[in-house]
Amino acid sequence: MGTVQYRVEPNHLTKPITYKLRFLPKQTVGYDELADAVAKDTGISAEQAKAFLLATVRNIKEMLCNGMQVTLEEALTFAPSFHAKLNSPDDPLPPIDKLLRISVSATRPLVQYVQQNVTLERVGTEEKAPTILSAADTVLLLNNVLNPAGVLRLTGSNLAFDTSKPDCGCVIEGTRSGSEKQTQHASVSDTEILVVPHVPAQDDPWNNEYSVEVSTRYTEHGSLRTGIYSRRLRAPLTVDLAHLGELGAGILTGSENAPHVRVTGCTASATERLRIQVDSSLQENMLAFRLIAMQDGGAVGAMVPVVENGEFTLPGFAGSAVDSMIVAVDNYAALRTMIRNDYGGRLVDILDLEV
């Protein structure tokens, strides 16, 4: 009987903080290690075993491309899957790289075998671990913004990792779906990481909320240690004003499958990037909406109080090409809860308004 190690870690993305179990791999094995094990079990050479493994994976790929589901009894099931939301049956499909995924799931016999043949071993909390204190986009000069066209700067302590190690690095994960290990690093040190972010796609366009974590080993055979940034990052949202339609464009939402707020109309003389800010007032039991410029301390539009679902008109600000914007609040209660619990009372989305 083998052992599976885990560590109890706080989940800072929940309010109040909850705790989760993190699996701690003793090592990462690949084709070579698996081939050695198969060779010992079957009597064939390690080279033959590796060739068989590579051929198996290659044939699984081809079968998936031919629309087949591959089920390896007592092991794994591979199958294409689709992630798309159409407003009508005749809508054009999204690009295939946004639409098509491959699902891999363990069969019930495999899960039962592992459950019956392992014991769990709790590993104590380590004092030294990556700590992310801040995250900012160096192009927009804004905190907690995940800009695909920028450079994300993470600061903190004990952040350095070996970029050649497959289990070490920086991972950006969508709060609803999608995860991407980052591969373009401008610099990596104990106190700072500069990364050109590859932002994973999520299920719906309004799902622009992400978490970021750093994993590292401080010695060659040391335990893998992971630090998660306590704040969520938000990516800019594109709003095509010419094709809003009846549904509008979802904004100011977390991981939900329906937007809390939608842009349903806008009077603008030119394409513009701006921000929409929502503050939660505990004393007055309301939300305050306003449009603001991209620069902190820049121009702001008039505040619009919101206390329930409905449509509201937000005025533009001095120097903006936007005269006014109409937003529909569809889930006031959920929006207010999210802002208070997850964003410290203030939520900001960057909107790329295209006329």
Side-chain angles (χ1 to χ4, degrees):
M1 180 177 289
T3 60
V4 171
Q5 294 181 335
Y6 71 93
R7 177 180 293 134
V8 177
E9 296 182 345
N11 183 2
H12 295 286
L13 297 180
T14 61
K15 297 290 193 306
I17 292 177
T18 58
Y19 293 84
K20 60 184 179 180
L21 304 186
R22 177 179 291 277
F23 164 62
L24 301 176
K26 297 175 183 177
Q27 68 178 107
T28 300
V29 300
Y31 284 112
D32 291 333
E33 295 82 1
L34 186 55
D36 288 339
V38 171
K40 292 177 182 178
D41 198 39
T42 61
I44 65 175
S45 69
E47 291 76 14
Q48 288 175 311
K50 184 174 181 179
F52 290 148
L53 290 172
L54 292 171
T56 299
V57 172
R58 184 168 60 252
N59 279 276
I60 289 174
K61 291 178 181 178
E62 292 303 320
M63 290 174 181
L64 291 172
C65 289
N66 282 284
M68 301 179 189
Q69 173 175 298
V70 181
T71 299
L72 306 179
E73 295 181 7
E74 299 189 6
L76 303 169
T77 294
F78 303 81
S81 63
F82 299 102
H83 290 258
K85 182 178 181 180
L86 306 180
N87 296 321
S88 72
D90 299 322
D91 277 358
L93 295 179
I96 196 165
D97 61 329
K98 306 293 185 184
L99 171 68
L100 181 64
R101 312 278 177 86
I102 300 299
S103 65
V104 182
S105 58
T107 62
R108 182 65 177 165
L110 173 61
V111 175
Q112 290 178 329
Y113 178 84
V114 176
Q115 290 172 337
Q116 295 166 4
N117 289 277
V118 301
T119 58
L120 300 182
E121 177 186 353
R122 178 167 176 166
V123 178
T125 302
E126 301 283 350
E127 290 186 4
K128 185 178 180 181
T131 301
I132 306 173
L133 298 177
S134 71
D137 177 66
T138 61
V139 174
L140 299 177
L141 303 179
L142 294 173
N143 293 324
N144 305 318
V145 169
L146 186 59
N147 178 16
V151 175
L152 181 65
R153 179 175 183 259
L154 304 177
T155 64
S157 59
N158 302 318
L159 298 177
F161 57 85
D162 186 342
T163 57
S164 67
K165 301 294 185 183
D167 54 354
C168 297
C170 175
V171 174
I172 294 174
E173 184 171 2
T175 56
R176 182 175 177 190
S177 63
S179 180
E180 187 87 27
K181 182 180 178 181
Q182 303 303 298
T183 57
Q184 289 187 272
H185 304 94
S187 69
V188 176
S189 71
D190 266 349
T191 58
E192 179 184 81
I193 296 173
L194 292 175
V195 57
V196 180
H198 292 262
V199 182
Q202 300 202 59
D203 288 347
D204 287 301
W206 54 81
N207 298 139
N208 67 327
E209 185 183 65
Y210 294 86
S211 64
V212 61
E213 65 181 45
V214 172
S215 297
T216 188
R217 297 181 190 273
Y218 296 112
T219 61
E220 183 178 357
H221 301 293
S223 299
L224 186 69
R225 305 180 189 180
T226 300
I228 304 174
Y229 184 42
S230 61
R231 300 290 297 272
R232 289 172 166 86
L233 310 183
R234 297 184 73 85
L237 292 171
T238 298
V239 179
D240 186 350
L241 300 179
H243 299 91
L244 281 176
E246 295 183 2
L247 295 179
I251 60 173
L252 299 168
T253 308
S255 60
E256 291 76 14
N257 59 9
H260 294 330
V261 181
R262 294 172 293 122
V263 177
T264 57
C266 185
T267 303
S269 59
T271 293
E272 182 173 355
R273 169 175 277 181
L274 49 66
R275 293 183 288 173
I276 181 169
Q277 175 177 299
V278 187
D279 291 282
S280 174
S281 172
L282 185 61
Q283 294 80 9
E284 300 180 24
N285 190 28
M286 74 170 194
L287 298 175
F289 282 65
R290 65 187 355 162
L291 300 179
I292 63 176
M294 287 299 298
Q295 299 77 25
D296 283 341
V300 301
M303 185 268 286
V304 176
V306 175
V307 297
E308 60 185 357
N309 291 347
E311 277 201 335
F312 304 88
T313 300
L314 310 183
F317 49 84
S320 173
V322 174
D323 182 64
S324 64
M325 177 186 294
I326 301 173
V327 297
V329 178
D330 296 327
N331 198 332
Y332 172 85
L335 175 64
R336 187 165 181 264
T337 298
M338 181 180 71
I339 293 174
R340 291 175 58 189
N341 291 349
D342 299 335
Y343 289 90
R346 171 171 291 177
L347 174 60
V348 180
D349 260 347
I350 295 174
L351 304 181
D352 286 323
L353 305 177
E354 298 181 352
V355 299

